[in-house]
Amino acid sequence: MEKNNNFRNNETGRIAGGLILVAVGAFLLLRNMGLFLPDWLFSWPIILILVGVYSGFKHNFRNNSWLILIAVGSFFLVDRFIPSLSLEPLFWPLVIIGLGVAFILRPRRGRWEDFKKDTRNNQWKSVPGSSFQEPADDTSANIDSNDFLVARSVFSGIKKIIVTKNFQGGNVSCIFGGAEFDLTQADFTGLVVLKLEMIFGGSKFIIPSNWTVQNEIDGIFHGVEDKRKWSADAGSNPAKILILRGSAVFGGIEITSY
C-alpha cells in the first residue's frame, strides 16, 4: 500500500513539475517574441509559489512546506500589485505573532507521557551489559528511546540521541531552525524512512558508517551531503537502508559519522 501511494505521489509530482516547466517555458517564449508580460511573472515570489505548488502535488499536500512557500510568495507578491501598501515591513512581526499563536494552540504532551518517557530512559540506562553510555561532552542533548522519531524545530535548535534498537524512521521538520540527531547507538534491520521538511533550516544526522543512505529529497537551493567514510559493507551488502524523503527549500542536510 505504501509503495502504491509513493508511486502515485511520484507520478503526480512528475506531471505537476512538467506542467510548471511547460508554463514557464511558454511565458518566456511569449516574452521573447515581443508579447508584453508583467514583470511580476518573472519575480522571485512567483518562484516560491511554483515550488510550493510542486511540493504540494509531490507529497499529496500532506506536509506544511507547500503552504508556507505559497503564503510567503503571495505575501511579497502583493507589493508588486499594490506598491502603496508596503507590506514588507510587516512580514517578520506577522511571522513572530503566528509562531506565538502556534505555540499556544499546539497540543502539549501530558505529564504521564513525560513520566513514561523518563522511566524508559532510566530503565535503559540501568540494563546490565547495555551499550548505552551517557554522553559526557554534550549535556544539552535529549535521550530519545522511542522507535519513531518526531521532531519540530521552529526558530530554535534541537539535539537528540536516539538509542532505540528498533528504529522505525520518523518525521523531522525544521523551519528557520536546526536539529542534530545522534543515531550511532540506534539500530534497525531492513529499510526505514525518514521524512524531512527543511525550510530555511538544516539538520545533521550522525549515523553508523555501515548504514546505506538513499537520498530522495526534493527542493530548491538545498543540499544533501554525506560526509561519512566509505564502508565496503554498506556498498556491497546493504543490510540497513535509510531512505531520506521530503523537501528542502533554502536548507541543508548533513550526514556524518564518528
Side-chain angles (χ1 to χ4, degrees), residues 52-53 55-56 61 63-73 197 199:
V53 172
S55 178
F61 297 94
N63 56 18
N64 297 322
S65 59
W66 69 273
L67 184 60
I68 295 174
L69 290 172
I70 293 177
V72 173
E197 182 182 1
I199 301 177

Side-chain angles (χ1 to χ4, degrees), residues 3-253:
K3 291 183 178 179
N4 292 333
N5 291 334
N6 292 333
F7 177 78
R8 286 196 295 267
N9 291 342
N10 290 335
E11 286 296 305
T12 303
R14 181 180 60 82
I15 295 173
L19 291 176
I20 291 174
L21 290 176
V22 170
V24 172
F27 281 124
L28 289 174
L29 179 63
L30 292 175
R31 187 181 69 171
N32 292 339
M33 292 176 61
L35 182 66
F36 172 76
L37 293 174
D39 293 335
W40 59 265
L41 281 175
F42 306 95
S43 61
W44 67 267
I46 288 294
I47 295 177
L48 288 182
I49 293 174
L50 292 178
V51 173
V53 172
Y54 170 75
S55 178
F57 279 104
K58 176 69 175 180
H59 304 288
N60 200 23
F61 297 94
R62 292 180 179 177
N63 56 18
N64 297 322
S65 59
W66 69 273
L67 184 60
I68 295 174
L69 290 172
I70 293 177
V72 173
S74 301
F75 182 89
F76 286 100
L77 193 61
V78 172
D79 281 347
R80 309 273 178 164
F81 287 104
I82 312 176
S84 60
L85 287 180
S86 186
L87 296 179
E88 185 172 351
L90 304 179
F91 177 73
W92 288 111
L94 290 176
V95 168
I96 296 174
I97 293 173
L99 290 175
V101 173
F103 278 119
I104 294 173
L105 300 179
R106 182 180 62 179
R108 183 183 178 185
R109 186 174 56 190
R111 293 182 178 179
W112 172 242
E113 291 186 349
D114 288 334
F115 172 77
K116 288 192 296 182
K117 182 176 180 181
D118 292 338
T119 303
R120 287 196 302 267
N121 290 338
N122 292 331
Q123 290 175 347
W124 177 268
K125 297 174 187 177
S126 60
V127 172
S130 171
S131 61
F132 174 80
Q133 295 179 353
E134 184 73 27
D137 58 345
D138 191 359
T139 56
S140 62
N142 296 322
I143 307 300
D144 192 338
S145 60
N146 294 318
D147 295 339
F148 195 80
L149 172 63
V150 177
R152 300 287 184 270
S153 173
V154 181
F155 285 96
S156 62
I158 296 176
K159 282 189 177 183
K160 285 189 176 184
I161 300 176
I162 313 302
V163 297
T164 176
K165 300 303 179 183
N166 186 31
F167 185 57
Q168 299 294 318
N171 290 319
V172 177
S173 176
C174 295
I175 302 175
F176 292 96
E180 179 179 321
F181 304 98
D182 186 347
L183 290 92
T184 54
Q185 300 181 77
D187 197 9
F188 68 95
T189 301
L191 182 149
V192 297
V193 177
L194 266 177
K195 296 182 179 180
L196 309 179
E197 182 182 1
M198 304 290 139
I199 301 177
F200 293 95
S203 60
K204 179 180 180 180
F205 295 91
I206 306 172
I207 66 176
S209 58
N210 64 329
W211 289 11
T212 298
V213 178
Q214 293 184 6
N215 175 25
E216 299 181 6
I217 300 293
D218 297 320
I220 181 172
F221 297 109
H222 75 294
V224 180
E225 186 176 5
D226 191 344
K227 296 183 177 180
R228 297 176 300 158
K229 295 181 179 179
W230 182 80
S231 173
D233 294 336
S236 60
N237 186 22
K240 305 177 191 298
I241 302 175
L242 177 65
I243 299 179
L244 304 180
R245 290 178 182 163
S247 59
V249 179
F250 294 96
I253 300 167

